[in-house]
């Protein structure tokens, strides 16, 4: 079943992805029935349910990171871009999470505050000493284009990250630094560029002191990717095992510091790939509210599946909090597990844990017999909003 069937959309004109009656293009009849048995260990089943190869795209993360390094190195960056007091990244969804992950991995090494602005316009306080980074995979996102247009009107220092669209054209016309990468497909599957380009941009502008090397993150990723690859059977594959544990339940992902940004990524990947309800909770804030919220409605007591993302270098006070939560909830909340990040530096630990969650989310989609790639409702929403607006938000 996909979102169109579930929500009962019937007008083919309004349903992106519906089969074209003349060409048969976009036919989704290959998606198997829910009743059919499914296994994560049969290559034919994986490719039948994942025909656009989201699994392959997840596995492409190290390659994307290496390409992002090259793209960033080839762009001329005026040193004045680094002479700022704040960085504001204008981005939404799959294009926004990259900057959040970079900021989380850099932690206190970030020389200035970084705000990821997921809204129209600019945040309060953005001014001449603010570096604006407009990041949009498609280059067509309304909120990002709106903030970019305001930044242009005010003449703020700006750099652009995109594959094309109106954002690329406007950046070229204004001769702004343009970190342009080539990759088709879904924005969330471009996470290697999302992280790599922001990381390299900020590092080159000296806005991250002592930055982690992307190359060592790539080396740390490779064995992790092999461990979770589709060819590794469930018995030996932790990502497949976790997907099975979550099957039929609602994932809630907890994390602290850098792992809180990763928890956010896991949540969005469960939404978009597995088309599943999901939530995330940052620590220690969750100890001040979420811990109390596990009682009602009682019928749903068994519904959530909790994952705690742990960083081996998390502060002792956070480790102590997890220990006490375990003491209090251990016997009651049995549907849960822990994932411990691995890697030689914070950026590598962020990326290996992102990859882990990405794999789990696609395996979960396959267990639900749902094609992970299309985001039907999201596409319909954008299309309807664009039709209603009918104007150019870049102000061009
Ligand atoms: O994952 C997605 O498809 C979305 O979250 C998009 O990233 C979001 O809508 C913004 O689009 P873009 O990344 O093209 O700016």
């Amino acid at each position: 079943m996909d979102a169109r069937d579930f929500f009962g959309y019937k007008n083919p004109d309004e349903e992106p992805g519906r089969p074209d009656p003349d060409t048969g293009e976009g036919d989704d009849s290959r998606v198997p029935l829910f009743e059919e048995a499914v296994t994560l260990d049969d290559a034919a089943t994986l490719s039948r349910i994942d025909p656009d190869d989201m699994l392959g795209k997840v596995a492409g993360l190290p390659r994307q990171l290496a390409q992002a390094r090259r793209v960033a190195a080839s762009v001329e960056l005026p040193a004045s871009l680094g002479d700022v007091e704040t960085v504001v990244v204008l981005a939404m969804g799959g294009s926004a999470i990259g900057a959040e992950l970079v900021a989380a991995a850099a932690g206190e090494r970030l020389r200035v505050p970084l705000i990821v602005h997921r809204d129209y316009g600019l945040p309060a306080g953005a001014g001449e000493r603010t570096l604006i980074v407009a990041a949009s995979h498609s280059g067509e996102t309304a909120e990002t284009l709106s903030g970019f247009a305001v930044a242009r009107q005010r003449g703020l220092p700006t750099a652009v990250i995109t594959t094309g669209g109106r954002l690329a054209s406007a950046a070229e016309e204004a001769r702004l630094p343009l970190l342009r990468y080539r990759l088709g497909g879904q924005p969330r599957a471009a996470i290697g560029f999302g992280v790599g380009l922001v990381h390299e941009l900020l590092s080159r502008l000296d806005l991250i002191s002592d930055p982690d090397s992307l190359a060592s993150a790539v080396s740390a990723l490779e064995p992790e990717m092999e461990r979770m690859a589709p060819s590794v059977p469930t018995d030996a594959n932790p990502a497949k095992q976790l997907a099975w544990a979550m099957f039929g339940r609602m994932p809630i992902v907890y994390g602290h510091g850098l792992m809180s940004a990763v928890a956010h990524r896991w949540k969005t990947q469960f939404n978009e790939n597995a088309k599943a309800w999901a939530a995330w909770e940052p620590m220690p804030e969750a100890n001040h509210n979420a811990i109390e919220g596990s009682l009602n409605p009682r019928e749903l007591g068994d519904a959530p599946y909790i994952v705690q993302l742990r960083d081996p270098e998390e502060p002792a006070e956070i480790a102590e909090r997890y220990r006490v939560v375990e003491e209090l909830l251990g016997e009651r909340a049995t549907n849960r597990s822990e994932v411990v990040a691995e890697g030689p530096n914070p950026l590598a630990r962020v990326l290996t844990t992102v990859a882990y969650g990405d794999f789990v989310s696609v395996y979960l989609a396959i267990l639900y017999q749902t094609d992970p790639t299309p985001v039907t409702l999201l596409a319909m929403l954008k299309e309807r909003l664009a039709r209603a607006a009918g104007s150019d938000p870049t102000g061009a």
Side-chain angles (χ1 to χ4, degrees):
M1 173 181 289
D2 90 359
R4 291 175 303 242
D5 305 313
F6 187 79
F7 289 98
Y9 289 105
K10 291 292 170 228
N11 179 356
D13 289 347
E14 295 182 340
E15 298 172 35
R18 269 286 182 221
D20 179 322
D22 299 325
T23 64
E25 232 170 78
D27 186 351
D28 60 1
S29 58
R30 59 202 159 168
V31 177
L33 298 173
F34 194 77
E35 293 76 22
E36 283 176 27
V38 78
T39 163
L40 294 175
D41 293 338
D42 171 41
T45 305
L46 298 186
S47 53
R48 194 175 73 237
I49 303 178
D50 178 22
D52 293 320
D53 195 22
M54 184 59 88
L55 277 171
K57 294 183 177 107
V58 169
L61 175 60
R63 200 172 50 245
Q64 278 185 23
L65 289 163
Q67 285 169 357
R69 259 176 91 199
R70 288 197 289 276
V71 170
S74 68
V75 174
E76 208 174 302
L77 294 175
S80 59
L81 285 188
D83 186 18
V84 291
E85 287 165 0
T86 319
V87 176
V88 169
V89 178
L90 308 174
M92 303 300 299
S95 291
I97 193 72
E100 186 178 330
L101 292 163
V102 169
E108 290 177 5
R109 291 172 297 160
L110 209 47
R111 290 191 196 274
V112 297
L114 184 153
I115 298 165
V116 182
H117 184 66
R118 293 171 161 105
D119 203 343
Y120 293 89
L122 295 181
E128 278 166 19
R129 305 261 300 151
T130 304
L131 169 62
I132 304 291
V133 180
S136 165
H137 181 75
S138 60
E140 290 291 341
T141 295
E143 297 93 321
T144 310
L145 289 171
S146 126
F148 175 79
V150 180
R152 293 310 305 141
Q153 277 154 17
R154 294 198 205 154
L156 307 187
T158 302
V160 167
I161 297 177
T162 187
T163 62
R166 281 177 286 174
L167 190 57
S169 310
E172 274 168 349
E173 199 176 311
R175 295 173 186 273
L176 299 174
L178 172 59
L179 289 81
R180 187 175 193 159
Y181 59 99
R182 315 235 166 240
L183 189 79
Q186 296 290 333
R188 63 189 184 280
I191 188 68
F193 288 105
V195 169
L197 292 173
V198 173
H199 184 266
E200 294 302 284
L201 174 67
L202 299 184
S203 303
R204 278 190 58 198
L205 293 174
D206 200 25
L207 291 168
I208 300 177
S209 60
D210 190 19
D212 295 328
S213 117
L214 262 195
S216 69
V218 169
S219 314
L221 265 171
E222 273 155 5
E224 284 295 295
M225 307 306 274
E226 277 171 28
R227 223 160 57 95
M228 294 180 286
S231 57
V232 178
T234 304
D235 281 356
N237 188 321
K240 289 184 180 177
Q241 289 167 12
L242 189 50
W244 270 114
M246 287 177 172
F247 182 53
R249 300 207 162 90
M250 175 177 155
I252 307 180
V253 193
Y254 287 68
H256 169 262
L258 62 172
M259 287 300 125
S260 140
V262 180
H264 190 183
R265 166 73 175 182
W266 279 47
K267 179 259 180 200
T268 59
Q269 290 291 80
F270 290 133
N271 295 150
E272 292 186 68
N273 288 338
K275 328 297 177 205
W277 290 99
W280 69 288
E281 294 279 353
M283 283 283 279
E285 174 67 13
N287 283 177
H288 298 267
N289 34 67
I291 188 163
E292 205 57 45
S294 56
L295 194 61
N296 293 315
R298 292 186 194 209
E299 301 73 30
L300 295 187
D302 199 36
Y305 188 92
I306 310 290
V307 184
Q308 293 169 339
L309 301 181
R310 305 286 302 270
D311 182 34
E313 292 191 6
E314 71 197 2
E317 50 282 29
I318 296 298
E320 179 61 4
R321 283 178 178 275
Y322 278 118
R323 192 192 64 73
V324 176
V325 168
E326 173 72 31
E327 219 171 73
L328 292 171
L329 297 185
E331 282 173 20
R332 259 195 325 139
T334 47
N335 300 329
R336 67 205 171 94
S337 53
E338 220 173 64
V339 168
V340 182
E342 289 184 27
N345 56 46
L347 186 63
R349 295 201 295 282
V350 161
L351 287 166
T352 52
T353 324
V354 163
Y356 198 136
D358 285 4
F359 271 118
V360 176
S361 69
V362 182
Y363 291 136
L364 189 58
I366 289 164
L367 290 178
Y368 285 127
Q369 309 203 37
T370 302
D371 182 349
T373 299
V375 277
T376 309
L377 289 173
L378 206 154
M380 288 172 72
L381 183 94
K382 284 186 181 182
E383 205 177 274
R384 288 182 187 200
L385 287 173
R387 227 186 290 148
S391 62
D392 182 353
T394 59

